[in-house]
Amino acid sequence: MKFFKVKTVEETFTLIEEMIPGIREMETRPLEDALHCILAEPVVAHENVPAFDRSTVDGYAVYAKDTYGSTESMPGFLTAAGEVNMGEEASRAVARGEAIYVPTGGMLPPGSDSVLMIEHCEEIGGLLNTYKQIAPGENVIRAGEDIRAGELLLEAGIRLRPQELGALAALGITHVRVYREIVAAYLSTGDEIVPYETERLEAGQVRDINYLTVSGLAQEWGIKVIYGGITADDYEGFSSRARELFEQSDLLILSGGSSVGAKDYTTEVIQSLGDPGVFVHGISIKPGKPTILAVAGGKPVIGLPGHPASAMIIFRLFGERVARKLKGEILKSKPERIYARMAKNIASAPGRADYIRVSLSEKGGEWWADPIIGKSGLITTLVKSDGIVEILSEKEGVLQGDYVPVILSK
Amino acid sequence: MKFFKVKTVEETFTLIEEMIPGIREMETRPLEDALHCILAEPVVAHENVPAFDRSTVDGYAVYAKDTYGSTESMPGFLTAAGEVNMGEEASRAVARGEAIYVPTGGMLPPGSDSVLMIEHCEEIGGLLNTYKQIAPGENVIRAGEDIRAGELLLEAGIRLRPQELGALAALGITHVRVYREIVAAYLSTGDEIVPYETERLEAGQVRDINYLTVSGLAQEWGIKVIYGGITADDYEGFSSRARELFEQSDLLILSGGSSVGAKDYTTEVIQSLGDPGVFVHGISIKPGKPTILAVAGGKPVIGLPGHPASAMIIFRLFGERVARKLKGEILKSKPERIYARMAKNIASAPGRADYIRVSLSEKGGEWWADPIIGKSGLITTLVKSDGIVEILSEKEGVLQGDYVPVILSK
């Protein structure tokens, strides 16, 4: 077997970016069912938004020059020449010296180039007194000012947030091409592990809680997880079950069994699934050192440490990157991490990245991160935490008051 | 009609906290289907987690005192007395002067109080050379150290994150009592509004894009939205459609029609739905001043401004609070807002809260917020943004480099 050198967190991120393929199969979805899907094809606008010049205020559509010189004490005078109804075409043009009433959002009549707010004029018997001069374009959104016909509205690879759905709807687009949904499969290993539904534990047994934390996180990323059960620690059984699940899914997640123990078949099983195989075997990180990342025949495989807290932190940290890359998302610089100030001094071994569970509180317009006390294997330390502080390997720890990046719980 | 004084953002938050009731109907859900549901009843642990003393390392279970004085140069000697298999009961006790091998996660044999890591000892023909002294409890998680039988594990009103599901699974809990799902209904008003599916717009018409942004946000908060269509601006039609949707849902969302115009029946319609009625009518905020919040017969009603960008910002800001309160969630101090540094000077009218769309970028271990250029009515300004900077009313603006709170897009 290949010899694997433990990777740093940064090296692991780079390798994920290089090694994990994005799926290419697309599907068409109605807009209402496309939230957080990844756009598979760019969207070019086929029309202007808005489709016509619109007023942004209640007021009078005018030719701006006709208001020049108007002040409170020296008003100008225009002829009030009717009004535009909401949702209707402005049929009559504004001639020089005229003004036509337009409500907020209404269509500007031809001939006008701006709207004088009702607060700045007064209609008296067919005559409009203007108390303010305005500039061309004032209080108007021009046709195409929001979206211009022909422009690239959305690139392929972006995640559709509510605002992207809104922008698509503005163009009357009802369906989008997105990458299809991802299905992951989860398989647990370990002679001590029993299904979490087990009512009474025998001595020495523990429940398989990683399935709940892993599938919960995956669900937050829009990924469905098939529960593959628990395999015993024998190579044949483990290997055939893993292959079965691997073939049913886009991403195989193995929990436990990745520590270097006598009964550790995980690496062997993963290597048997296809090439190129394992590309990360061990990360200089605490918790979660015995982590495995692989690609076999174009599908990612993640080997998580068995400790519940480690498994969850590792999956949050690396699993999310793997998942987003696999889903076809173009990863942009976005605040996955926020900054907070550390409430206590924290020591850290140089050459190793430490992930410290913290609770957050707001003080003086800043977030402060307070480390959670308790052994790192305890799931309740995660229950008590709002996020995880990242202390990267070049640091020997952080001092009270230092700014630190925090990965938030959703 | 009552006279309404425009509220500040802070007053609005306080009023939401006071006025919005939480639903009380509960349902039982399997753990796998309970992510982000709100726990309706507290969970008290009925057993210890772990159920037995566990080793956190591969090593030998010993009585700590038997290792005292052991060093690399002056090793101690113990009798190697067998091993504990994973997932099995440690049947044989450790007597004084003995050591029993235990794998990571294995059960400690009676009589032992600590585990000496394999790195710190060596077994040679039934004899264990110990090279290090350890303290009682070292490398052991005690029974009940993660969760203690009888302790309050989770309070009612918390949102179930993956880690809470994990902690419940650790106890073998398979179903939880949560508050039932919330259904909202959305109704659009305005003579110019047409369904977003409309292929060709007539002059003066615009598509109803607020439905997509509002239902997208609601979906992010776990709320389903019924589309109620578009009502014309006549009181009878609007009122009867609003009542119909109000009766079908837990939360009524009205879009548009809340500006003070000739055809504005929104307030009247909301007041007709029940008591106590409108409690916020206008907020000193930009964008989104003409916002209405009401409670009628125990159900919240939100009147959003018609401008797409305003509607989305207002719904993100106040709708989320209303939704979370309604869902029965106990709102804790959590980073809904992160802090970033402003990349440019921004003026702001005192007495008004300003919400500035920004893109974020990371520089020198900090997030910097760069304002998006464009009129506030444009939906594309939200498409280009990563979040919204909050400048509260007491400020007259912020200077370049100032720390500002940012509400992130999901």
Side-chain angles (χ1 to χ4, degrees), chain A residues 35-36 181-182 184 211-225 253 315 323 327 410, chain B residues 29-37 160-162 165 181:
Chain A
L35 184 70
H36 295 172
E181 283 198 320
I182 297 293
Y211 169 57
L212 272 299
T213 55
V214 161
S215 67
L217 286 170
Q219 208 177 312
E220 290 183 340
W221 313 328
I223 294 178
K224 208 189 142 227
V225 180
I253 303 159
F315 195 59
K327 288 180 77 180
K410 284 225 170 70
Chain B
R29 278 179 176 250
L31 232 48
E32 294 175 59
D33 197 25
L35 184 69
H36 296 173
C37 289
L160 296 171
R161 300 173 298 171
L165 298 181
E181 282 199 319

mmCIF file of all heavy atoms in Angstrom, chain A residues 35-36 181-182 184 211-225 253 315 323 327 410, chain B residues 29-37 160-162 165 181:
data_model
loop_
_atom_site.group_PDB
_atom_site.id
_atom_site.type_symbol
_atom_site.label_atom_id
_atom_site.label_comp_id
_atom_site.label_asym_id
_atom_site.label_seq_id
_atom_site.Cartn_x
_atom_site.Cartn_y
_atom_site.Cartn_z
ATOM 1 N N LEU A 35 -34.764 26.413 -5.080
ATOM 2 C CA LEU A 35 -33.980 27.135 -4.068
ATOM 3 C C LEU A 35 -32.731 26.337 -3.690
ATOM 4 O O LEU A 35 -32.820 25.148 -3.401
ATOM 5 C CB LEU A 35 -34.834 27.388 -2.814
ATOM 6 C CG LEU A 35 -34.156 28.222 -1.720
ATOM 7 C CD1 LEU A 35 -33.988 29.663 -2.157
ATOM 8 C CD2 LEU A 35 -34.931 28.154 -0.406
ATOM 9 N N HIS A 36 -31.586 27.035 -3.702
ATOM 10 C CA HIS A 36 -30.288 26.465 -3.314
ATOM 11 C C HIS A 36 -29.782 25.393 -4.268
ATOM 12 O O HIS A 36 -28.790 24.718 -3.965
ATOM 13 C CB HIS A 36 -30.314 25.958 -1.869
ATOM 14 C CG HIS A 36 -30.509 27.064 -0.870
ATOM 15 N ND1 HIS A 36 -30.727 26.839 0.462
ATOM 16 C CD2 HIS A 36 -30.543 28.403 -1.016
ATOM 17 C CE1 HIS A 36 -30.894 28.002 1.080
ATOM 18 N NE2 HIS A 36 -30.783 28.950 0.204
ATOM 19 N N GLU A 181 -29.923 16.544 -8.129
ATOM 20 C CA GLU A 181 -29.679 16.341 -6.700
ATOM 21 C C GLU A 181 -28.612 15.270 -6.457
ATOM 22 O O GLU A 181 -28.435 14.372 -7.265
ATOM 23 C CB GLU A 181 -30.966 15.892 -6.018
ATOM 24 C CG GLU A 181 -31.922 17.029 -5.787
ATOM 25 C CD GLU A 181 -32.971 16.677 -4.739
ATOM 26 O OE1 GLU A 181 -33.439 15.530 -4.764
ATOM 27 O OE2 GLU A 181 -33.287 17.546 -3.920
ATOM 28 N N ILE A 182 -27.961 15.410 -5.301
ATOM 29 C CA ILE A 182 -26.899 14.475 -4.916
ATOM 30 C C ILE A 182 -27.444 13.535 -3.843
ATOM 31 O O ILE A 182 -28.151 13.960 -2.940
ATOM 32 C CB ILE A 182 -25.732 15.271 -4.294
ATOM 33 C CG1 ILE A 182 -25.119 16.226 -5.328
ATOM 34 C CG2 ILE A 182 -24.668 14.355 -3.736
ATOM 35 C CD1 ILE A 182 -24.418 15.539 -6.445
ATOM 36 N N ALA A 184 -26.068 10.793 -1.027
ATOM 37 C CA ALA A 184 -24.906 10.216 -0.354
ATOM 38 C C ALA A 184 -25.340 8.930 0.342
ATOM 39 O O ALA A 184 -26.525 8.725 0.587
ATOM 40 C CB ALA A 184 -24.344 11.203 0.662
ATOM 41 N N TYR A 211 -24.592 8.924 12.252
ATOM 42 C CA TYR A 211 -25.550 8.977 11.146
ATOM 43 C C TYR A 211 -26.433 10.220 11.249
ATOM 44 O O TYR A 211 -26.702 10.896 10.258
ATOM 45 C CB TYR A 211 -26.419 7.721 11.114
ATOM 46 C CG TYR A 211 -27.578 7.855 10.163
ATOM 47 C CD1 TYR A 211 -27.360 8.142 8.820
ATOM 48 C CD2 TYR A 211 -28.890 7.740 10.607
ATOM 49 C CE1 TYR A 211 -28.413 8.299 7.941
ATOM 50 C CE2 TYR A 211 -29.954 7.893 9.742
ATOM 51 C CZ TYR A 211 -29.712 8.184 8.410
ATOM 52 O OH TYR A 211 -30.757 8.349 7.536
ATOM 53 N N LEU A 212 -26.870 10.543 12.458
ATOM 54 C CA LEU A 212 -27.762 11.693 12.640
ATOM 55 C C LEU A 212 -27.036 13.012 12.412
ATOM 56 O O LEU A 212 -27.579 13.930 11.774
ATOM 57 C CB LEU A 212 -28.367 11.679 14.054
ATOM 58 C CG LEU A 212 -29.666 10.904 14.256
ATOM 59 C CD1 LEU A 212 -30.777 11.486 13.380
ATOM 60 C CD2 LEU A 212 -29.531 9.446 13.991
ATOM 61 N N THR A 213 -25.819 13.125 12.911
ATOM 62 C CA THR A 213 -25.105 14.393 12.737
ATOM 63 C C THR A 213 -24.670 14.566 11.276
ATOM 64 O O THR A 213 -24.804 15.650 10.706
ATOM 65 C CB THR A 213 -23.869 14.471 13.664
ATOM 66 O OG1 THR A 213 -23.040 13.342 13.435
ATOM 67 C CG2 THR A 213 -24.273 14.493 15.122
ATOM 68 N N VAL A 214 -24.208 13.479 10.673
ATOM 69 C CA VAL A 214 -23.748 13.546 9.281
ATOM 70 C C VAL A 214 -24.916 13.795 8.328
ATOM 71 O O VAL A 214 -24.844 14.651 7.440
ATOM 72 C CB VAL A 214 -22.993 12.234 8.919
ATOM 73 C CG1 VAL A 214 -22.897 12.048 7.409
ATOM 74 C CG2 VAL A 214 -21.602 12.243 9.548
ATOM 75 N N SER A 215 -26.023 13.084 8.521
ATOM 76 C CA SER A 215 -27.145 13.285 7.593
ATOM 77 C C SER A 215 -27.808 14.643 7.845
ATOM 78 O O SER A 215 -28.318 15.266 6.918
ATOM 79 C CB SER A 215 -28.152 12.138 7.676
ATOM 80 O OG SER A 215 -28.785 12.133 8.926
ATOM 81 N N GLY A 216 -27.771 15.110 9.090
ATOM 82 C CA GLY A 216 -28.302 16.452 9.387
ATOM 83 C C GLY A 216 -27.507 17.528 8.662
ATOM 84 O O GLY A 216 -28.074 18.417 8.026
ATOM 85 N N LEU A 217 -26.185 17.435 8.726
ATOM 86 C CA LEU A 217 -25.351 18.412 8.013
ATOM 87 C C LEU A 217 -25.588 18.305 6.513
ATOM 88 O O LEU A 217 -25.762 19.318 5.830
ATOM 89 C CB LEU A 217 -23.864 18.184 8.331
ATOM 90 C CG LEU A 217 -23.389 18.625 9.717
ATOM 91 C CD1 LEU A 217 -21.973 18.124 9.983
ATOM 92 C CD2 LEU A 217 -23.433 20.150 9.851
ATOM 93 N N ALA A 218 -25.607 17.091 5.999
ATOM 94 C CA ALA A 218 -25.811 16.893 4.558
ATOM 95 C C ALA A 218 -27.139 17.509 4.118
ATOM 96 O O ALA A 218 -27.226 18.151 3.064
ATOM 97 C CB ALA A 218 -25.758 15.409 4.215
ATOM 98 N N GLN A 219 -28.147 17.317 4.952
ATOM 99 C CA GLN A 219 -29.471 17.897 4.647
ATOM 100 C C GLN A 219 -29.375 19.427 4.563
ATOM 101 O O GLN A 219 -29.997 20.038 3.715
ATOM 102 C CB GLN A 219 -30.433 17.472 5.761
ATOM 103 C CG GLN A 219 -31.878 17.371 5.348
ATOM 104 C CD GLN A 219 -32.736 16.859 6.513
ATOM 105 O OE1 GLN A 219 -32.387 15.874 7.171
ATOM 106 N NE2 GLN A 219 -33.839 17.524 6.792
ATOM 107 N N GLU A 220 -28.583 20.024 5.443
ATOM 108 C CA GLU A 220 -28.385 21.477 5.391
ATOM 109 C C GLU A 220 -27.735 21.902 4.071
ATOM 110 O O GLU A 220 -27.916 23.032 3.628
ATOM 111 C CB GLU A 220 -27.529 21.955 6.566
ATOM 112 C CG GLU A 220 -28.249 21.860 7.896
ATOM 113 C CD GLU A 220 -27.436 22.394 9.074
ATOM 114 O OE1 GLU A 220 -26.196 22.502 8.958
ATOM 115 O OE2 GLU A 220 -28.032 22.690 10.111
ATOM 116 N N TRP A 221 -26.969 21.004 3.473
ATOM 117 C CA TRP A 221 -26.323 21.317 2.189
ATOM 118 C C TRP A 221 -27.155 20.808 1.018
ATOM 119 O O TRP A 221 -26.679 20.793 -0.129
ATOM 120 C CB TRP A 221 -24.917 20.706 2.125
ATOM 121 C CG TRP A 221 -24.092 20.955 3.341
ATOM 122 C CD1 TRP A 221 -24.135 22.068 4.153
ATOM 123 C CD2 TRP A 221 -23.110 20.086 3.921
ATOM 124 N NE1 TRP A 221 -23.242 21.937 5.190
ATOM 125 C CE2 TRP A 221 -22.597 20.730 5.075
ATOM 126 C CE3 TRP A 221 -22.602 18.830 3.588
ATOM 127 C CZ2 TRP A 221 -21.620 20.151 5.884
ATOM 128 C CZ3 TRP A 221 -21.628 18.264 4.398
ATOM 129 C CH2 TRP A 221 -21.141 18.921 5.526
ATOM 130 N N GLY A 222 -28.363 20.369 1.294
ATOM 131 C CA GLY A 222 -29.249 19.928 0.212
ATOM 132 C C GLY A 222 -28.953 18.539 -0.313
ATOM 133 O O GLY A 222 -29.226 18.235 -1.470
ATOM 134 N N ILE A 223 -28.396 17.695 0.535
ATOM 135 C CA ILE A 223 -28.021 16.341 0.102
ATOM 136 C C ILE A 223 -28.778 15.298 0.915
ATOM 137 O O ILE A 223 -28.839 15.376 2.136
ATOM 138 C CB ILE A 223 -26.495 16.124 0.270
ATOM 139 C CG1 ILE A 223 -25.754 17.049 -0.691
ATOM 140 C CG2 ILE A 223 -26.112 14.667 0.063
ATOM 141 C CD1 ILE A 223 -24.256 16.956 -0.590
ATOM 142 N N LYS A 224 -29.348 14.344 0.220
ATOM 143 C CA LYS A 224 -30.072 13.255 0.863
ATOM 144 C C LYS A 224 -29.076 12.158 1.221
ATOM 145 O O LYS A 224 -28.138 11.900 0.473
ATOM 146 C CB LYS A 224 -31.093 12.706 -0.147
ATOM 147 C CG LYS A 224 -32.320 12.099 0.476
ATOM 148 C CD LYS A 224 -33.185 11.394 -0.554
ATOM 149 C CE LYS A 224 -33.763 10.151 0.058
ATOM 150 N NZ LYS A 224 -33.672 8.951 -0.739
ATOM 151 N N VAL A 225 -29.271 11.524 2.363
ATOM 152 C CA VAL A 225 -28.352 10.468 2.785
ATOM 153 C C VAL A 225 -29.098 9.144 2.950
ATOM 154 O O VAL A 225 -30.095 9.071 3.660
ATOM 155 C CB VAL A 225 -27.638 10.834 4.109
ATOM 156 C CG1 VAL A 225 -26.690 9.717 4.529
ATOM 157 C CG2 VAL A 225 -26.873 12.142 3.977
ATOM 158 N N ILE A 253 -19.914 7.859 2.468
ATOM 159 C CA ILE A 253 -19.384 8.332 3.742
ATOM 160 C C ILE A 253 -19.221 7.133 4.667
ATOM 161 O O ILE A 253 -20.196 6.438 4.956
ATOM 162 C CB ILE A 253 -20.342 9.352 4.395
ATOM 163 C CG1 ILE A 253 -20.595 10.525 3.442
ATOM 164 C CG2 ILE A 253 -19.783 9.846 5.726
ATOM 165 C CD1 ILE A 253 -21.877 11.293 3.761
ATOM 166 N N PHE A 315 -16.625 16.492 9.164
ATOM 167 C CA PHE A 315 -17.598 16.506 8.067
ATOM 168 C C PHE A 315 -18.022 17.938 7.760
ATOM 169 O O PHE A 315 -18.169 18.323 6.604
ATOM 170 C CB PHE A 315 -18.804 15.633 8.412
ATOM 171 C CG PHE A 315 -19.660 15.300 7.222
ATOM 172 C CD1 PHE A 315 -19.122 14.632 6.128
ATOM 173 C CD2 PHE A 315 -21.001 15.654 7.179
ATOM 174 C CE1 PHE A 315 -19.888 14.329 5.013
ATOM 175 C CE2 PHE A 315 -21.790 15.357 6.068
ATOM 176 C CZ PHE A 315 -21.226 14.697 4.988
ATOM 177 N N ALA A 323 -18.915 18.349 -0.743
ATOM 178 C CA ALA A 323 -20.303 18.346 -1.200
ATOM 179 C C ALA A 323 -20.560 19.475 -2.192
ATOM 180 O O ALA A 323 -21.189 19.273 -3.231
ATOM 181 C CB ALA A 323 -21.236 18.467 0.005
ATOM 182 N N LYS A 327 -21.508 19.085 -6.085
ATOM 183 C CA LYS A 327 -22.786 19.599 -6.581
ATOM 184 C C LYS A 327 -22.626 20.542 -7.777
ATOM 185 O O LYS A 327 -23.609 20.968 -8.368
ATOM 186 C CB LYS A 327 -23.517 20.353 -5.464
ATOM 187 C CG LYS A 327 -24.075 19.458 -4.381
ATOM 188 C CD LYS A 327 -24.787 20.272 -3.324
ATOM 189 C CE LYS A 327 -26.152 20.721 -3.796
ATOM 190 N NZ LYS A 327 -26.883 21.510 -2.786
ATOM 191 N N LYS A 410 -25.230 26.068 11.656
ATOM 192 C CA LYS A 410 -26.354 26.662 10.925
ATOM 193 C C LYS A 410 -27.565 26.790 11.843
ATOM 194 O O LYS A 410 -27.703 26.097 12.812
ATOM 195 C CB LYS A 410 -26.721 25.786 9.728
ATOM 196 C CG LYS A 410 -25.739 25.938 8.587
ATOM 197 C CD LYS A 410 -26.444 26.083 7.242
ATOM 198 C CE LYS A 410 -25.470 26.485 6.139
ATOM 199 N NZ LYS A 410 -24.529 25.429 5.752
ATOM 200 N N ARG B 29 -42.198 13.584 15.700
ATOM 201 C CA ARG B 29 -41.465 13.301 14.467
ATOM 202 C C ARG B 29 -40.316 12.346 14.725
ATOM 203 O O ARG B 29 -39.657 12.432 15.761
ATOM 204 C CB ARG B 29 -40.851 14.594 13.910
ATOM 205 C CG ARG B 29 -41.803 15.430 13.118
ATOM 206 C CD ARG B 29 -41.106 16.683 12.645
ATOM 207 N NE ARG B 29 -42.008 17.423 11.812
ATOM 208 C CZ ARG B 29 -41.867 17.567 10.489
ATOM 209 N NH1 ARG B 29 -40.840 17.031 9.850
ATOM 210 N NH2 ARG B 29 -42.737 18.248 9.800
ATOM 211 N N PRO B 30 -40.033 11.480 13.746
ATOM 212 C CA PRO B 30 -38.808 10.683 13.873
ATOM 213 C C PRO B 30 -37.599 11.615 13.773
ATOM 214 O O PRO B 30 -37.657 12.648 13.096
ATOM 215 C CB PRO B 30 -38.859 9.732 12.676
ATOM 216 C CG PRO B 30 -39.843 10.326 11.729
ATOM 217 C CD PRO B 30 -40.769 11.198 12.523
ATOM 218 N N LEU B 31 -36.552 11.255 14.466
ATOM 219 C CA LEU B 31 -35.347 12.081 14.519
ATOM 220 C C LEU B 31 -34.847 12.463 13.121
ATOM 221 O O LEU B 31 -34.416 13.595 12.894
ATOM 222 C CB LEU B 31 -34.249 11.288 15.242
ATOM 223 C CG LEU B 31 -33.544 11.957 16.401
ATOM 224 C CD1 LEU B 31 -34.529 12.576 17.359
ATOM 225 C CD2 LEU B 31 -32.657 10.960 17.115
ATOM 226 N N GLU B 32 -34.918 11.517 12.209
ATOM 227 C CA GLU B 32 -34.381 11.752 10.861
ATOM 228 C C GLU B 32 -35.153 12.827 10.106
ATOM 229 O O GLU B 32 -34.703 13.309 9.082
ATOM 230 C CB GLU B 32 -34.417 10.460 10.040
ATOM 231 C CG GLU B 32 -33.495 9.409 10.600
ATOM 232 C CD GLU B 32 -33.636 8.083 9.860
ATOM 233 O OE1 GLU B 32 -33.421 8.076 8.645
ATOM 234 O OE2 GLU B 32 -33.959 7.080 10.514
ATOM 235 N N ASP B 33 -36.329 13.158 10.613
ATOM 236 C CA ASP B 33 -37.193 14.104 9.928
ATOM 237 C C ASP B 33 -37.448 15.333 10.813
ATOM 238 O O ASP B 33 -38.460 16.025 10.662
ATOM 239 C CB ASP B 33 -38.518 13.383 9.617
ATOM 240 C CG ASP B 33 -39.323 14.105 8.561
ATOM 241 O OD1 ASP B 33 -38.712 14.834 7.758
ATOM 242 O OD2 ASP B 33 -40.558 13.949 8.566
ATOM 243 N N ALA B 34 -36.531 15.579 11.736
ATOM 244 C CA ALA B 34 -36.780 16.642 12.718
ATOM 245 C C ALA B 34 -35.745 17.765 12.661
ATOM 246 O O ALA B 34 -35.774 18.677 13.489
ATOM 247 C CB ALA B 34 -36.824 16.046 14.126
ATOM 248 N N LEU B 35 -34.867 17.730 11.655
ATOM 249 C CA LEU B 35 -33.833 18.766 11.561
ATOM 250 C C LEU B 35 -34.461 20.159 11.499
ATOM 251 O O LEU B 35 -35.385 20.386 10.711
ATOM 252 C CB LEU B 35 -32.956 18.535 10.314
ATOM 253 C CG LEU B 35 -31.770 19.502 10.169
ATOM 254 C CD1 LEU B 35 -30.724 19.247 11.238
ATOM 255 C CD2 LEU B 35 -31.147 19.403 8.780
ATOM 256 N N HIS B 36 -33.958 21.069 12.338
ATOM 257 C CA HIS B 36 -34.391 22.464 12.389
ATOM 258 C C HIS B 36 -35.830 22.645 12.868
ATOM 259 O O HIS B 36 -36.365 23.755 12.794
ATOM 260 C CB HIS B 36 -34.162 23.178 11.037
ATOM 261 C CG HIS B 36 -32.712 23.272 10.679
ATOM 262 N ND1 HIS B 36 -32.272 23.732 9.473
ATOM 263 C CD2 HIS B 36 -31.603 22.979 11.379
ATOM 264 C CE1 HIS B 36 -30.943 23.684 9.437
ATOM 265 N NE2 HIS B 36 -30.529 23.236 10.595
ATOM 266 N N CYS B 37 -36.447 21.571 13.361
ATOM 267 C CA CYS B 37 -37.733 21.735 14.044
ATOM 268 C C CYS B 37 -37.473 22.310 15.437
ATOM 269 O O CYS B 37 -36.363 22.245 15.962
ATOM 270 C CB CYS B 37 -38.445 20.384 14.180
ATOM 271 S SG CYS B 37 -39.058 19.782 12.596
ATOM 272 N N LEU B 160 -33.558 22.218 16.606
ATOM 273 C CA LEU B 160 -32.752 20.996 16.566
ATOM 274 C C LEU B 160 -31.740 21.045 15.418
ATOM 275 O O LEU B 160 -32.094 20.933 14.255
ATOM 276 C CB LEU B 160 -33.658 19.769 16.438
ATOM 277 C CG LEU B 160 -34.606 19.522 17.624
ATOM 278 C CD1 LEU B 160 -35.610 18.419 17.287
ATOM 279 C CD2 LEU B 160 -33.825 19.159 18.885
ATOM 280 N N ARG B 161 -30.481 21.256 15.789
ATOM 281 C CA ARG B 161 -29.389 21.224 14.810
ATOM 282 C C ARG B 161 -28.872 19.785 14.708
ATOM 283 O O ARG B 161 -29.281 18.919 15.476
ATOM 284 C CB ARG B 161 -28.267 22.159 15.282
ATOM 285 C CG ARG B 161 -28.702 23.611 15.443
ATOM 286 C CD ARG B 161 -27.593 24.445 16.081
ATOM 287 N NE ARG B 161 -27.262 23.976 17.421
ATOM 288 C CZ ARG B 161 -26.229 24.402 18.145
ATOM 289 N NH1 ARG B 161 -25.399 25.305 17.652
ATOM 290 N NH2 ARG B 161 -25.998 23.931 19.355
ATOM 291 N N PRO B 162 -27.949 19.503 13.786
ATOM 292 C CA PRO B 162 -27.438 18.137 13.691
ATOM 293 C C PRO B 162 -26.876 17.625 15.027
ATOM 294 O O PRO B 162 -27.064 16.461 15.380
ATOM 295 C CB PRO B 162 -26.344 18.240 12.628
ATOM 296 C CG PRO B 162 -26.801 19.353 11.744
ATOM 297 C CD PRO B 162 -27.452 20.349 12.672
ATOM 298 N N LEU B 165 -29.621 16.444 17.322
ATOM 299 C CA LEU B 165 -30.113 15.133 16.868
ATOM 300 C C LEU B 165 -29.147 14.033 17.304
ATOM 301 O O LEU B 165 -29.556 12.964 17.743
ATOM 302 C CB LEU B 165 -30.283 15.127 15.343
ATOM 303 C CG LEU B 165 -31.299 16.135 14.787
ATOM 304 C CD1 LEU B 165 -31.381 16.009 13.269
ATOM 305 C CD2 LEU B 165 -32.674 15.941 15.415
ATOM 306 N N GLU B 181 -45.413 22.135 11.817
ATOM 307 C CA GLU B 181 -44.956 23.014 10.735
ATOM 308 C C GLU B 181 -45.867 24.219 10.568
ATOM 309 O O GLU B 181 -47.056 24.152 10.855
ATOM 310 C CB GLU B 181 -44.930 22.241 9.422
ATOM 311 C CG GLU B 181 -43.739 21.348 9.294
ATOM 312 C CD GLU B 181 -43.485 20.955 7.842
ATOM 313 O OE1 GLU B 181 -44.465 20.680 7.134
ATOM 314 O OE2 GLU B 181 -42.314 20.914 7.450
#
